[in-house]
Each structure stands twice: as structure tokens, then as C-alpha cells.
Amino acid sequence: MIISNLSIPYRFYRLLIVICVPGLLVILAQLLEEHSEILQQSEFKAILLAEHIAAVQQNDISETKALLSQLARHPELNTTIPEQCPSILRYAQTLSSRIANIGIVSPEGNVLCTIISNVKPINISDRKYFQDANKTKRFTVGQFQHDRSLNKATVNFAIPVIDENNNIRHTIVVAQSLTKWSHALAKLSLPVDSEVMISDAQHNVIAHYPLQPAQLGRPLKEFWPSTLDTAQVLKDGNDQSRIYLQLPLEQSKPLTSLYIHFSLPFEDAVNRANSKVATTLILFILAILLIIWQAKWQLNRVLLQPFKALQDAIAQVTKGEIAQWENKQSSPEFYVVTQQFEHMAHTRLNAEQALTHKHAELIALLTALPDSYLRVNKDGEILMSHGPFSKSASSIDVIFPEHVFKRIMAQLALLEEQPYSQLEFSHLDTDNIQRIYECRINHISEHQQAILVIRDISQRKEHEEAISLAALVYNNSSECMVITDANGFILDTNPAFSQVTGFKREEALGKATSILSSGKHDKHFYTQMWQQLCEQGYWQGEIINRRKDGELYTEWLTINTVYNQYNEAYRRVAIFTDITDRKRKDELIWRQAHFDQLTELANRRELKRHLKIQLENTAVKVGILLLDLDHFKDINDTLGHYFGDKLLTEVANRLTALTPSCSLISRIGGDEFVLVTNTNHTTALTKLANAVLAQLKPSIQIDNEQCHISASIGIAHAPVDGDSSELLLKAADQAMYEAKQHGRNGFAFFNAQMREQAEHRMTLLKDLRVALAQQQFALYYQPIVKMTDQSIVKAEALIRWLHPDKGIVSPALFIPLAEETQLIHGMGEFIFNSACDTLCTLNQLGHQVQLSINVSPVQFTAKHSTLNNWHQQLNAKGLTAEQFVIEITEGLMMNALPRTQQRLAALTKQGFALALDDFGTGYSSLAYLKQMDTDFIKIDKRFVDGIANSADDLALCEAMIMMAHQLGLKVIAEGIETATQHQLLLQAGCDFGQGFYYAKPMPLDAFVKLLNK
């Protein structure tokens, strides 16, 4: 290669420019940075000076504030201020040279005294600083003002004196001379031509350095640039640079406090910085020129002349001539270079031939390999490629996904530190199949290049993932796994096997699975297992094995056989789960579901299951005894449930002694027990019942209490009394209630009459529900007359059931059933609403009749009752409570429930009259009679029936009438059927009468006709 002599200097100068220009730019940047740093240092020094001066002024204000705060707490100032100021104020003035005057001001603003006497009264209530001090009760700073006590410009400070009730007693006011303040600024160490001003909250000048009295009190904006938030360098009127800065003298109140303003000269700092930059730049340029001249001289001597000789030698070598360096006056160094160049040419030719051969071998090898090959530089450009993944692209960003491309570029940047790296990535091929590739990056030594080898590892990854997943499941499965050979010798176990059996893996390897045998299964069991494994290759079931420590456990075992290529048993895989706890829990749950926890006897569910099994077997005879403990509730109520539970446990123990005679003993309720026996003969069942009573007869000792208990027993047997558990238990229950009605502590057999009564009761209850839904009821009215003239003044509303098939059903048949099933509430509402409608009709016809209605005790004792709403219903229909008489029984008055007593009291308070029905047949408690404010008593018909023939009955009626009158009550006699009864009761003083003698109960239309006569 021949290079022109002219091109070398040109390239040298261009290289020199390329080197010098960036250096010049760097020097300029450094000079500018140094220039900025000089200005910043000057500005920083100015700010430090300003902050120091501001701190001095802040300290002076803080000292003034501290002095006034101490004065405000001084005892001399906490009393009434005389016309002559306390001496403490004069002493305070001596502590601060700026204080021109100190005074005391009343809360109204009147100056009480000052240390400088002033005969003219002054009021400062118009001063804002005084107003702020009284408002905030704190130290305040004023604005520029012309002080009337001194007749000069001042800034005033104020602080209130607070008494013990937090009220303002008076205010201490200090006047500070602005002239002295400006003189104080002049004493500060400031640069020449500096200017300092202090302004108040209204931006008026109150102090100035250098002092110019004419500027005091004038607006700051006349002498100062617009308000500045930070330090700034600006030009003044003389085109000189100055730094302007303002600072608050009270940091806590930057919007209302005093400000100090600084204007400091800055022109010298700017000039110094500019001068230093210019000097440095000139010296740098001179140095560059000197370097250029020196470089040119050295270039010609050292490089250009020898290079010309080298060019001539290369031309000779190119032509195949031998260079004659001796005649060229060349340096020995260049002669050596020429000889080496010739040797290099021969060596290179030989190397190129060898390289061509190696290249051909490499291409053949690459073609045979399944991998793709890329040679790239550090910029990701493809220099060479081979294989399907390259796609003849020029850069790797075209063939790799973006996230993979970024990772490869990051690795290429780290080739020097990490010559080898590897990564994996997934890529969607052209056939729309997601594949996984492995990319290996290798650094080419001494080059900024790398070799990328890309290999498709999708299939390998699938195999690895499958193996990893299988190992993961095997090692982390909670189920125990054992791999054996075809004969049952253990080849491998998983960790769960060791946890369950206690055998470590190394202890089990090579052993037969019989090491787990518990001995709970006979030889026939294992024979069948192996037979099924050999025939079907599979076995599953529950088995009991033994752990290493000897403990038995139950497992659910599954065994599968693995076959080889010849369909011979090769391996067996056993998977089992320890189900011991589950078996125990299932057994516990089953026992809890079928047995009573207190007595450990069978419960109702187990009883029904047992009866079902017994009854399905027609060859088995079944009889049951259902016993209920007599007065067990009294024991619970008096001694508590603890004793009750102890008693039930003892009863269960005693009944368990009869187990030989029973197939099952169960507790089906609180104090109900059922004994099942395999006999239905009356004699055997009677014998068993007597045995039960005999077992319960001895006293039971519970702690320190001795209890006696008995039972009522109902007996039923299948199939006569029932062919199902429900029917049989129902029959025994009815028989048990029959035993209770006959005095308890006995037994009764179920019979046909009980069945008929039960069926009749069920039919009646069913018809009763239908009657309520279809409103088959009606009210009949029986008149109640005055005994003196037999005029109708009252009537009792009596409910009647108009059955569509059976006609009128007596209330004595369905009222008890309605009370038992809570249907009485619906009937009670029907009676009250119908009675209200009847009263409305009678009022329209002009008949003033008081109606009596019967209210069941269930309506008073029930949790939810509509009795409280009756008063509202009366108001809605225009009726009053005084038109009704509520008839109740004596037992209801004795009811101690607060709910019952509250409802009775509420009804009487609303105006309802109360009548005590069937008086003399119950408790007849005179105390409750008076307490409940009863209005009427009704003498029962059984007393009235015998007064004509029995002197005792007549005497009882006379006594009841006399007693009622003594208590202020009226008397109604029921069941009067003859004139003799009427006369005898009239003579006894009875007030009202009711009975067939006057009229029978009748429908409403007949009752209205009777009233119209």
C-alpha cells in the first residue's frame, strides 16, 4: 500500500485539531464553571454577612421580647398602676439603649403612665400593635409611627399583663427610636458602599444605613426593587452590579414581622472573575500554538523523511525487487521493518492458504450440526450466520424477541468480564409453535465480537420438566410411596413412607414389605391379594399394618404393577395413606351421632335405626318401654342442672343393669328413656316394667344431697301397637301420659282407646286449623241482667264453632286444644274484632250494652301478643275501653310472670273492666283480687245450682257477695235457671244475673231483636 507524502501532514493536522478542539472546549467549560464558582463564593459570603447582621437584629428583638415578658410577670406590674410608673420600668430602660420610652396602658388604650412624663392624656386604642397584643395576649411588634409621647418616629412593642383569671390587667408598651436603630446599623462591619434597611409589616422604612432621616417612614418600594424571595444580583441606577437580599427578623411570623434588606456591592467580584477567565484563556491559546509548532518540526524530522524511504522500499517489494536501503540513507529501524514486512508477506500467504482449508472444514462441521451459529459485534450486528435461526438478518434485534435482544446486548457489553454466558428463551416459530431455545454466548479473544450458538431444547425441557415434576410429586407427596421388584422387595421409598412407618429409607431398602405386617390379617388375606396382583396387576383396599415402634395403624393401600417389554412383572408401585385418625374420627362422629354424650346410652337416631332393623326381621318380637322421670323439672329448678345431669347419669347406670333383658337402652330426650326388648308378651313386659321401677326406687346420693326419683312408663309392642319406629314410640308416649294421669310411679299399656283419642285429637286439630283459615267461628251473646228489674245491661260474647259437618262444636272441646297449640291467639283476635263490630252496631241502634269477652291465660303469658294493640283498635273504631269487660280466671291472677302482670295492669289502666270468672273454684286470693283492681266477680254455676236445696251453698253465695261488696266489687251470678234461684240471689244482694232463666246464648240478630222489645 502506497501512501502519499502530502496526506500524512494533512492527517496529522486534522488529528491535532481533533485532539485540541475538545481540550479547548473542556478548558472553556472549566473556566466558565470557575467563573460561576467565584461569583457563587462572593454571593455566599454576602449572604453569610446578611444572615449574621439579621441574626444580630433578631437577637435585639428577642432581648426586647424577653425583657417585656419578664416585666409582664413582675409583681410590681400585677397590681393597680399609680400615676407614677413603677421604678422597675426605669431600670428596664437602662438595659437597652434603643428604648426611648416605656409606659403602662389600660385595656381601653389609655396611657396610665410613662417613664417620660407627659401631661397630655394619650389613647392608643387605634394602634394596630396594641389591638393585636390585646387580641392574642402575646408580644407584638408595631409599624412605623410618630410617637405622641416623644414627638418623634418610633417603632413600638407591646405585651399584655395577664391576671390569674387569664384576663388582661394592662399592657406594657415600649417605644424604640428609629434614629438610634439606624445608628446601631452604622456600627456594624459592612463593606464599603453597602446599604441596609429595615421595614415594618406595612413595608415602610424604619431604619437605614447609611442614615438618611428623610427616608424613615417612606415606602420601601421607592428605594428597593420589587419584593425578592431569594438573593439576586441586579444592576443599580449607575449600571453597577449589586446583590439584593431580604430576611425576616421573626422566622415564626414571616408575613407580619419586620424585614431587614441588604444591598451589597458585587461589581468587584464580577470583574475579578472575568479577569481570571480572560488571563487563563490567553495562556492556554499560546500554549496550543507552541505545541503545534513543536509538533510540526518533530513530524518532519522523525516521520516524514523516514516514511518516504519506507514508501520507496514498499514499491520495490511490490514490484518484486529487493530494496537497497544502504543507498537510501534510511534509518536502521526502517530497514528492519522492511525485512519483517517481506517475511510477513510470505507468512501471510501461507496462513491464508491454511485458513481457507480450516474455513472449509468449519463450514462442513456447522452444516452437520443442528445448531444455528451467529458471529456478532458488540453492537449486535451480524457479521456471519449459519442455520435456520439466522433468517439472513443483518442485526440480532430482527431475529430475537425484544426482551431476549436486550439480555443479549447486556451480555455483549460485559464480554471482557464474562467471556462466556448462557440464557434460555421461548420463541414462537413460523409454524406457530412455541419452542424453547438455549443461547450460548462466547467471546472471541482479542476481538470485540462474540459467537452465538442457538439450540432448540424444547424436547429436552419437556423431558426435564416431566422428570422434575415426577420427582417433586414423589418427594413431596403426603401419600406414602414404595417401589418394589416383582416379588415385593423394596427398591425405593419416599419421605412420607418414613414419616408414617418410622422406617428410614436405608432401613427399608432390600427388605420385603412383610416388615410392615401387623399379624391382624390371616394368610388367606395375603394369598388373595397376591393372586389378584398376578392376575390383574392391581389391588386396592384397607389394611392394618405395624409401625417400627410397634404401633398399629390403618392404611388405604393401592398397588399397581409395571410390566417390561416382554409383558412380565417388572416393578410394583404401592401408594398408601394413613387413615387411622380418619377412622377414629369417623368412629367418634358416628358415636356422637348415635349415642348420648351425658349417659353414653343410645340416642333417638340409634334407637330408630335399631328398631328399624328389629322390625324388618319378622321373626323377632319387639316391645318397648318409654319411661319419663316424675318431677324431674323440680330437681333441675331447685338443685340446678349439675345435680340434674348427675341424676340422669345414675338413672342410666341403673337401667344398664337391665341390659340382659333388653336389646337396647337409650335416652331420647331430657328425662325420657326407652328400653327395647325382644318380647311382646304382656307378662314379660310387666315384669320388666316392675324391674325398672324397682331399680329407681332406692335413693340416689349426689354429693351431699339425697334424691328420690320415680318414673311413669308407657309400654307398646309390635306389630299390634305399630309396625314402624315412629308409630311404636308414639304409642308408648301416649301410654306413658296415661300412666302419669293415674298417679305416676307406675306403668300403662297402650290400648285401642288411646289410639282413638289420639286420632280424634289429630282430626280435631286439623279441622281447627281449617276453621281458622275459613273463619268458621261466630259469636253468640248471652244477656246479663240487673237483679232488681231484670233489664239487660250487659252481655257475654261466647265463641261458637260452626262446623260444616258436625254443626256447632262446644268450646269445651276445642278451646284447650287451641291453647295448647297457640291457635288461641287467632281466636282471641277474632273474638275482640267481632265484639268491636257488635258494639258499633249496637251504638248505631242506640243500645248501651257492656260486652264481656273471655281472654285466655295463654294470650297474657305468650312472648308475642296483640293485647297491647287493642286500645289503638278501639280508637280507630270510635269505641272506648269502658264498654268492655275482660273475663279472666283466678289462676291468671296468681301468675307471677312480670309479662302477665304488666299486661293486666296496662289493660286496666286503659279503662278495660276486669271480671274474675269461676270465682270460688280456684285460689280465691283476696290479696291478688284487690291488687289487680278487679271490677266484677262471677259466682260459678256449681254454687248457684244448689242454693235452693243446700243451706251451705246459699251461705257460700251470701258470703262471696258480702265479701265482694266490702271490697267495692260487683257480683255476677252464673247459671241461674229458676225463679227461686233469682229470688234467693236478689235477697242476698247479688248485682247481676246470667243464665237460661233470662235467656240462652244467641246470635247477634236475635240479641238485637231482644234488645228492641
Side-chain angles (χ1 to χ4, degrees), residues 641-668:
H641 290 280
Y642 169 77
F643 284 92
D645 290 345
K646 289 284 188 180
L647 180 63
L648 291 173
T649 303
E650 179 60 26
V651 170
N653 293 336
R654 294 188 179 187
L655 293 178
T656 306
L658 302 173
T659 301
S661 303
C662 306
S663 62
L664 184 72
I665 300 176
S666 66
R667 178 189 175 213
I668 62 171

CSV table of all heavy atoms in Angstrom, one decimal, residues 641-668:
chain,number,residue,atom,x,y,z
A,641,HIS,N,-78.9,-27.7,87.2
A,641,HIS,CA,-78.6,-28.7,86.1
A,641,HIS,C,-77.5,-29.6,86.4
A,641,HIS,O,-77.4,-30.7,85.9
A,641,HIS,CB,-78.4,-27.9,84.8
A,641,HIS,CG,-79.6,-27.2,84.3
A,641,HIS,ND1,-80.6,-27.9,83.6
A,641,HIS,CD2,-80.0,-25.9,84.4
A,641,HIS,CE1,-81.6,-27.1,83.3
A,641,HIS,NE2,-81.2,-25.9,83.7
A,642,TYR,N,-76.5,-29.2,87.2
A,642,TYR,CA,-75.4,-30.1,87.6
A,642,TYR,C,-75.9,-31.3,88.3
A,642,TYR,O,-75.6,-32.4,87.9
A,642,TYR,CB,-74.4,-29.3,88.5
A,642,TYR,CG,-73.4,-30.2,89.1
A,642,TYR,CD1,-72.3,-30.7,88.4
A,642,TYR,CD2,-73.5,-30.6,90.5
A,642,TYR,CE1,-71.4,-31.5,89.0
A,642,TYR,CE2,-72.6,-31.4,91.1
A,642,TYR,CZ,-71.5,-31.9,90.3
A,642,TYR,OH,-70.5,-32.7,90.9
A,643,PHE,N,-76.8,-31.1,89.3
A,643,PHE,CA,-77.4,-32.3,90.0
A,643,PHE,C,-78.3,-33.0,89.1
A,643,PHE,O,-78.4,-34.3,89.1
A,643,PHE,CB,-78.2,-31.8,91.2
A,643,PHE,CG,-77.3,-31.4,92.4
A,643,PHE,CD1,-76.9,-30.1,92.5
A,643,PHE,CD2,-76.9,-32.3,93.3
A,643,PHE,CE1,-76.0,-29.7,93.6
A,643,PHE,CE2,-76.0,-32.0,94.3
A,643,PHE,CZ,-75.6,-30.7,94.5
A,644,GLY,N,-79.0,-32.3,88.2
A,644,GLY,CA,-79.9,-33.0,87.2
A,644,GLY,C,-79.1,-33.9,86.3
A,644,GLY,O,-79.5,-35.1,86.1
A,645,ASP,N,-77.9,-33.4,85.8
A,645,ASP,CA,-77.1,-34.3,85.0
A,645,ASP,C,-76.6,-35.5,85.7
A,645,ASP,O,-76.5,-36.6,85.2
A,645,ASP,CB,-75.9,-33.5,84.4
A,645,ASP,CG,-76.4,-32.5,83.4
A,645,ASP,OD1,-77.6,-32.6,82.9
A,645,ASP,OD2,-75.6,-31.6,83.0
A,646,LYS,N,-76.1,-35.3,87.0
A,646,LYS,CA,-75.7,-36.4,87.8
A,646,LYS,C,-76.8,-37.4,88.0
A,646,LYS,O,-76.5,-38.6,88.0
A,646,LYS,CB,-75.2,-35.9,89.2
A,646,LYS,CG,-73.9,-35.1,89.1
A,646,LYS,CD,-72.7,-36.0,89.0
A,646,LYS,CE,-71.4,-35.2,89.1
A,646,LYS,NZ,-70.2,-36.1,89.0
A,647,LEU,N,-78.0,-36.9,88.2
A,647,LEU,CA,-79.1,-37.8,88.5
A,647,LEU,C,-79.4,-38.7,87.2
A,647,LEU,O,-79.6,-39.9,87.3
A,647,LEU,CB,-80.4,-37.0,88.9
A,647,LEU,CG,-81.6,-37.8,89.1
A,647,LEU,CD1,-81.4,-38.8,90.3
A,647,LEU,CD2,-82.8,-36.9,89.4
A,648,LEU,N,-79.4,-38.0,86.0
A,648,LEU,CA,-79.6,-38.7,84.8
A,648,LEU,C,-78.5,-39.8,84.6
A,648,LEU,O,-78.8,-40.9,84.1
A,648,LEU,CB,-79.6,-37.7,83.6
A,648,LEU,CG,-80.8,-36.8,83.6
A,648,LEU,CD1,-80.6,-35.8,82.4
A,648,LEU,CD2,-82.1,-37.6,83.3
A,649,THR,N,-77.3,-39.5,84.9
A,649,THR,CA,-76.2,-40.4,84.7
A,649,THR,C,-76.4,-41.6,85.6
A,649,THR,O,-76.2,-42.8,85.2
A,649,THR,CB,-74.9,-39.8,85.1
A,649,THR,OG1,-74.7,-38.6,84.2
A,649,THR,CG2,-73.7,-40.7,84.8
A,650,GLU,N,-76.9,-41.4,86.9
A,650,GLU,CA,-77.1,-42.5,87.8
A,650,GLU,C,-78.3,-43.4,87.3
A,650,GLU,O,-78.3,-44.6,87.4
A,650,GLU,CB,-77.4,-42.0,89.2
A,650,GLU,CG,-77.7,-43.0,90.3
A,650,GLU,CD,-76.5,-44.0,90.4
A,650,GLU,OE1,-75.3,-43.7,90.1
A,650,GLU,OE2,-76.8,-45.2,90.9
A,651,VAL,N,-79.4,-42.7,86.8
A,651,VAL,CA,-80.5,-43.5,86.3
A,651,VAL,C,-80.0,-44.3,85.1
A,651,VAL,O,-80.4,-45.5,85.0
A,651,VAL,CB,-81.6,-42.5,85.8
A,651,VAL,CG1,-82.7,-43.2,85.0
A,651,VAL,CG2,-82.2,-41.8,87.1
A,652,ALA,N,-79.2,-43.8,84.2
A,652,ALA,CA,-78.7,-44.6,83.1
A,652,ALA,C,-77.9,-45.8,83.6
A,652,ALA,O,-78.0,-46.9,83.0
A,652,ALA,CB,-77.8,-43.7,82.2
A,653,ASN,N,-77.1,-45.6,84.6
A,653,ASN,CA,-76.3,-46.7,85.2
A,653,ASN,C,-77.2,-47.8,85.7
A,653,ASN,O,-77.0,-49.0,85.6
A,653,ASN,CB,-75.4,-46.2,86.3
A,653,ASN,CG,-74.3,-45.3,85.7
A,653,ASN,OD1,-74.0,-45.4,84.5
A,653,ASN,ND2,-73.7,-44.4,86.5
A,654,ARG,N,-78.3,-47.4,86.4
A,654,ARG,CA,-79.2,-48.4,87.0
A,654,ARG,C,-80.0,-49.1,85.9
A,654,ARG,O,-80.2,-50.3,86.0
A,654,ARG,CB,-80.2,-47.7,87.9
A,654,ARG,CG,-79.5,-47.1,89.2
A,654,ARG,CD,-80.5,-46.6,90.2
A,654,ARG,NE,-79.8,-46.1,91.4
A,654,ARG,CZ,-80.5,-45.8,92.5
A,654,ARG,NH1,-81.8,-45.9,92.6
A,654,ARG,NH2,-79.8,-45.3,93.6
A,655,LEU,N,-80.3,-48.4,84.8
A,655,LEU,CA,-81.1,-49.0,83.7
A,655,LEU,C,-80.1,-50.0,83.0
A,655,LEU,O,-80.6,-51.0,82.4
A,655,LEU,CB,-81.6,-48.0,82.8
A,655,LEU,CG,-82.7,-47.1,83.3
A,655,LEU,CD1,-83.2,-46.1,82.3
A,655,LEU,CD2,-83.9,-48.0,83.7
A,656,THR,N,-78.8,-49.6,82.9
A,656,THR,CA,-77.9,-50.5,82.2
A,656,THR,C,-77.8,-51.9,82.9
A,656,THR,O,-77.4,-52.9,82.3
A,656,THR,CB,-76.5,-49.8,82.2
A,656,THR,OG1,-76.6,-48.5,81.7
A,656,THR,CG2,-75.5,-50.6,81.4
A,657,ALA,N,-78.1,-51.9,84.2
A,657,ALA,CA,-78.1,-53.2,84.9
A,657,ALA,C,-79.1,-54.2,84.3
A,657,ALA,O,-79.1,-55.4,84.5
A,657,ALA,CB,-78.3,-53.0,86.4
A,658,LEU,N,-80.1,-53.6,83.6
A,658,LEU,CA,-81.2,-54.5,83.0
A,658,LEU,C,-80.8,-54.9,81.6
A,658,LEU,O,-81.7,-55.4,80.8
A,658,LEU,CB,-82.5,-53.7,83.0
A,658,LEU,CG,-83.0,-53.2,84.3
A,658,LEU,CD1,-84.2,-52.3,84.1
A,658,LEU,CD2,-83.4,-54.4,85.2
A,659,THR,N,-79.6,-54.7,81.1
A,659,THR,CA,-79.2,-55.0,79.8
A,659,THR,C,-79.5,-56.4,79.3
A,659,THR,O,-79.9,-56.6,78.2
A,659,THR,CB,-77.7,-54.7,79.6
A,659,THR,OG1,-77.4,-53.3,79.9
A,659,THR,CG2,-77.2,-55.0,78.2
A,660,PRO,N,-79.3,-57.4,80.2
A,660,PRO,CA,-79.6,-58.8,79.7
A,660,PRO,C,-81.1,-58.9,79.3
A,660,PRO,O,-81.4,-59.8,78.5
A,660,PRO,CB,-79.3,-59.7,81.0
A,660,PRO,CG,-78.3,-58.9,81.7
A,660,PRO,CD,-78.7,-57.4,81.6
A,661,SER,N,-82.0,-58.1,79.8
A,661,SER,CA,-83.4,-58.2,79.4
A,661,SER,C,-83.7,-57.4,78.2
A,661,SER,O,-84.9,-57.4,77.8
A,661,SER,CB,-84.3,-57.8,80.6
A,661,SER,OG,-84.0,-58.6,81.8
A,662,CYS,N,-82.8,-56.5,77.8
A,662,CYS,CA,-83.1,-55.6,76.7
A,662,CYS,C,-82.1,-55.7,75.6
A,662,CYS,O,-80.9,-56.0,75.8
A,662,CYS,CB,-83.0,-54.1,77.3
A,662,CYS,SG,-84.1,-53.8,78.7
A,663,SER,N,-82.5,-55.4,74.4
A,663,SER,CA,-81.6,-55.4,73.2
A,663,SER,C,-81.0,-54.0,73.1
A,663,SER,O,-80.0,-53.9,72.4
A,663,SER,CB,-82.4,-55.8,72.0
A,663,SER,OG,-83.4,-54.9,71.7
A,664,LEU,N,-81.6,-53.0,73.6
A,664,LEU,CA,-81.1,-51.6,73.6
A,664,LEU,C,-81.7,-50.8,74.6
A,664,LEU,O,-82.9,-50.9,74.9
A,664,LEU,CB,-81.4,-51.0,72.2
A,664,LEU,CG,-80.8,-49.6,72.0
A,664,LEU,CD1,-79.3,-49.7,71.8
A,664,LEU,CD2,-81.4,-48.9,70.7
A,665,ILE,N,-80.9,-49.9,75.3
A,665,ILE,CA,-81.3,-48.9,76.2
A,665,ILE,C,-80.9,-47.6,75.7
A,665,ILE,O,-79.7,-47.4,75.4
A,665,ILE,CB,-80.8,-49.2,77.6
A,665,ILE,CG1,-81.2,-50.6,78.1
A,665,ILE,CG2,-81.2,-48.1,78.6
A,665,ILE,CD1,-80.6,-50.9,79.5
A,666,SER,N,-81.8,-46.7,75.6
A,666,SER,CA,-81.5,-45.4,75.0
A,666,SER,C,-82.1,-44.2,75.8
A,666,SER,O,-83.1,-44.4,76.5
A,666,SER,CB,-82.0,-45.3,73.5
A,666,SER,OG,-83.4,-45.3,73.5
A,667,ARG,N,-81.5,-43.1,75.6
A,667,ARG,CA,-82.1,-41.8,76.2
A,667,ARG,C,-82.4,-40.9,75.0
A,667,ARG,O,-81.6,-40.6,74.2
A,667,ARG,CB,-81.0,-41.1,77.0
A,667,ARG,CG,-81.5,-39.7,77.6
A,667,ARG,CD,-80.4,-39.0,78.3
A,667,ARG,NE,-80.8,-37.6,78.7
A,667,ARG,CZ,-80.1,-36.6,78.7
A,667,ARG,NH1,-78.8,-36.7,78.3
A,667,ARG,NH2,-80.5,-35.4,79.1
A,668,ILE,N,-83.7,-40.6,74.9
A,668,ILE,CA,-84.2,-39.9,73.7
A,668,ILE,C,-84.5,-38.5,73.9
A,668,ILE,O,-84.9,-37.7,73.0
A,668,ILE,CB,-85.4,-40.6,73.1
A,668,ILE,CG1,-86.6,-40.6,74.1
A,668,ILE,CG2,-85.1,-42.1,72.7
A,668,ILE,CD1,-87.9,-41.1,73.5
